[in-house]
Amino acid sequence: MFVNGALQPARRHTTVHDRWTGEPVGSVPRDSAEEAAAAVAALAAGRRAMTPQQRSAVLARAADLLTARTEEFSTLITAESGVCRKETLREVARAAANLRVAAAEAERIRGESIPLPDGTRLAVTLPEPVGVVLGITPFNRPLNQVVVKAAPALAAGCPLLLKPSEKTPLTALAFAELLVEAGCAKDMLAVVTGEPGELGPLLAAHPDVAMVTFTGSVATGHTVAAQAAGKRQLLELGGNDPLFVLPDADLERAARLAADGACATAGQSCRGIKRVFVWEEVADEFTVLLERAVTVKRVGDPRRDDTDLGPLVSEEAARVVERRIARAVEDGARLVTGGERDGALVRPAVLDRVPADTELVTEETFGPVAPVIRVRDADEAVRQSNSTAYGLQAGVLTRDSARFWDIAARLRVGAVNLGEGPHFDSPHIPFGGVKASGVGREGIRYSIAEMTVTKTVTLPGPYPTG
């Protein structure tokens, strides 16, 4: 495990392989329950006295170091996740931006003073760190998913225990070393690696863990939530995000947005486009444009500068996508292009006339698929969009503001973007969903709020009441 600023000797190891070549990239400890418990104990016993200014300086320095090592981190992410170089370069930039925002927000954590109406006392609220935060992260963005948990925790003054995905642990360990180099107190950070079934339940239920922040599947999230009962929780559990294409939309831009949103990270993104609701009168034209936008995407070696989509995280994951595409065709959809599988590679697919009740679109499909669902009007589109268990983000393409606000008001999601896809994001705004998509909000300032508790102190008066 990584504790006290360094990787400790381990009895067991797991080899991480390159998703494209199959060659070993490195090995990480396969920590036992006892080792994980020791990491929690080390964090809980630490003595931390970093001021907000010091925490801000560490985060700003980490952003600078990360930017200087963009190539190194991009190469590592591509190797262990299979995400293409174009996207991993952007991921490093996003992670650095999150660190810089966290550096600014670390100095803005404030309480308030509340004079009681009768003037007898003054109440002062003091935001304090919640305690040890456990961050459990997925495979699809192995750097930024770590940063969006680590940066607000450190900004809030919380010691952090990271449990990265067993599929992509190397980037998390490299980032932990970078944080220590940036000046993070060694007793503020630990990383454990290994199988989630061995470590997850123990860590989530550990009495010294005060909060769990988790990104992953609904099923795993519910297991974590049950283990963490009674603790503060921030859960981001995926999505089935829709894009709405109304008749007055710019169809060429809509097709590009749909193609990019469905194919980003080879379709392995919770906020990626999973359903495209298109008004019937423009569906024929739009589908032709979408096919054109998807077929120009290059699939293959993720290390090449001109590759748009690399392999999925595993051949098993690719088989799930292949099976759901075939089932959608059996249920009446028309496969316009793509969908062929070669090992873990899936050529991006466009399907038209997709039934709203086929598994491809009722479940979160983690693959490069753009399913077009034709609708008559806003009522049908909203009803079908709300019919799944998820409610993360949505995008609406229209020039009519009244129609947009009508749709936005009726969607059961955490965010609605006008003129953008559901995959739009910014470190300055809240991110999270409703229904099965999660609990709480990420986004740096909002995560910091989740990671602090309010202590109220009252002082005797008299105080002027104005």
Side-chain angles (χ1 to χ4, degrees):
M1 57 188 174
F2 184 95
V3 68
N4 293 323
L7 197 62
Q8 305 301 315
R11 295 190 300 271
R12 303 181 301 168
H13 288 82
T14 298
T15 300
V16 180
H17 294 89
D18 186 293
R19 296 290 166 183
W20 179 251
T21 67
E23 297 174 354
V25 180
S27 66
V28 299
R30 182 171 175 176
D31 294 319
S32 66
E34 293 77 16
E35 289 165 327
V40 179
L43 291 175
R47 295 292 180 265
R48 294 156 291 276
M50 295 182 71
T51 67
Q53 281 186 324
Q54 290 171 327
R55 300 195 297 264
S56 175
V58 168
L59 291 163
R61 174 67 174 152
D64 291 341
L65 290 172
L66 184 59
T67 300
R69 298 175 190 173
T70 293
E71 187 67 34
E72 172 190 335
F73 272 88
S74 171
T75 300
L76 180 57
I77 299 166
T78 293
E80 69 171 347
S81 72
V83 175
C84 67
R85 174 177 163 78
K86 283 182 180 179
E87 292 198 55
T88 58
L89 288 169
R90 288 196 294 267
E91 181 177 349
V92 177
R94 287 175 64 194
N98 275 297
L99 287 165
R100 292 194 173 95
V101 172
E105 292 294 343
E107 297 188 13
R108 297 174 182 160
I109 302 172
R110 299 284 187 271
E112 63 177 335
S113 60
I114 309 169
L116 298 190
D118 62 6
T120 59
R121 297 190 75 81
L122 176 70
V124 179
T125 64
L126 306 172
E128 295 185 342
V130 69
V132 175
V133 172
L134 168 63
I136 303 176
T137 59
F139 69 85
N140 54 343
R141 292 196 176 96
L143 175 62
N144 198 55
Q145 291 283 9
V146 166
V147 169
V148 296
K149 304 199 184 311
L154 298 177
C158 297
L160 175 70
L161 176 63
L162 278 173
K163 166 59 183 76
S165 169
E166 71 284 1
K167 297 181 177 71
T168 54
L170 295 170
T171 303
L173 289 168
F175 179 68
E177 292 177 342
L178 182 146
L179 281 176
V180 172
E181 182 181 346
C184 178
K186 294 180 180 180
D187 60 359
M188 284 283 286
L189 176 66
V191 184
V192 295
T193 53
E195 294 304 312
E198 294 180 53
L199 302 183
L202 167 89
L203 295 174
H206 197 288
D208 287 333
V209 170
M211 176 178 175
V212 177
T213 172
F214 168 89
T215 299
S217 71
V218 172
T220 305
H222 287 173
T223 300
V224 168
Q227 295 292 335
K231 304 176 188 291
R232 188 78 65 90
Q233 298 183 26
L234 176 53
L235 309 175
E236 200 283 280
L237 305 181
N240 195 357
D241 293 358
L243 178 70
F244 296 84
V245 183
L246 277 70
D248 65 336
D250 178 339
L251 296 184
E252 287 194 4
R253 181 170 183 273
R256 290 194 301 272
L257 272 175
D260 291 345
C263 295
T265 326
Q268 300 169 117
S269 171
C270 61
R271 71 176 88 211
I273 293 173
K274 307 294 195 306
R275 297 175 291 168
V276 187
F277 291 103
V278 184
W279 268 238
E280 183 70 49
E281 56 261 49
V282 295
D284 287 342
E285 182 181 357
F286 172 81
T287 303
V288 170
L289 294 169
L290 179 59
E291 178 186 10
R292 189 180 304 162
V294 164
T295 54
V296 298
K297 292 190 177 294
R298 185 185 181 99
V299 179
D301 186 344
R303 299 167 299 181
R304 291 175 55 109
D305 290 336
D306 58 353
T307 297
D308 298 298
L309 287 86
L312 271 65
V313 72
S314 68
E315 188 169 344
E316 179 185 0
R319 287 197 192 98
V320 171
V321 177
E322 180 184 44
R323 177 178 58 77
R324 289 184 179 179
I325 290 172
R327 179 62 183 272
V329 172
E330 290 174 6
D331 289 342
R334 178 175 71 91
L335 180 60
V336 178
T337 187
E340 301 89 354
R341 182 181 66 82
D342 180 7
L345 275 177
V346 176
R347 188 163 296 280
V350 174
L351 291 92
D352 188 17
R353 301 184 184 277
V354 177
D357 58 353
T358 191
E359 184 184 20
L360 181 72
V361 292
T362 58
E363 300 298 328
E364 181 182 32
T365 297
F366 244 41
V369 185
V372 174
I373 302 172
R374 298 184 177 220
V375 294
R376 294 183 300 273
D377 52 30
D379 290 342
E380 183 179 9
V382 169
R383 182 177 66 253
Q384 292 189 10
S385 177
N386 288 340
S387 67
T388 73
Y390 301 91
L392 189 53
Q393 301 205 139
V396 180
L397 304 181
T398 180
R399 297 181 176 91
D400 188 329
S401 61
R403 297 177 83 178
F404 166 74
W405 282 109
D406 171 65
I407 291 171
R410 291 190 283 160
L411 288 175
R412 294 198 64 203
V413 294
V416 186
N417 303 305
L418 173 61
E420 271 289 352
H423 48 295
F424 174 79
D425 75 307
S426 165
H428 301 281
I429 62 176
F431 171 68
V434 298
K435 301 193 292 183
S437 286
V439 176
R441 289 293 179 269
E442 290 188 335
I444 298 297
R445 180 162 68 90
Y446 302 89
S447 290
I448 290 173
E450 301 270 5
M451 295 175 182
T452 56
V453 293
T454 298
K455 177 181 286 182
T456 303
V457 175
T458 69
L459 309 172
Y463 289 94
T465 59

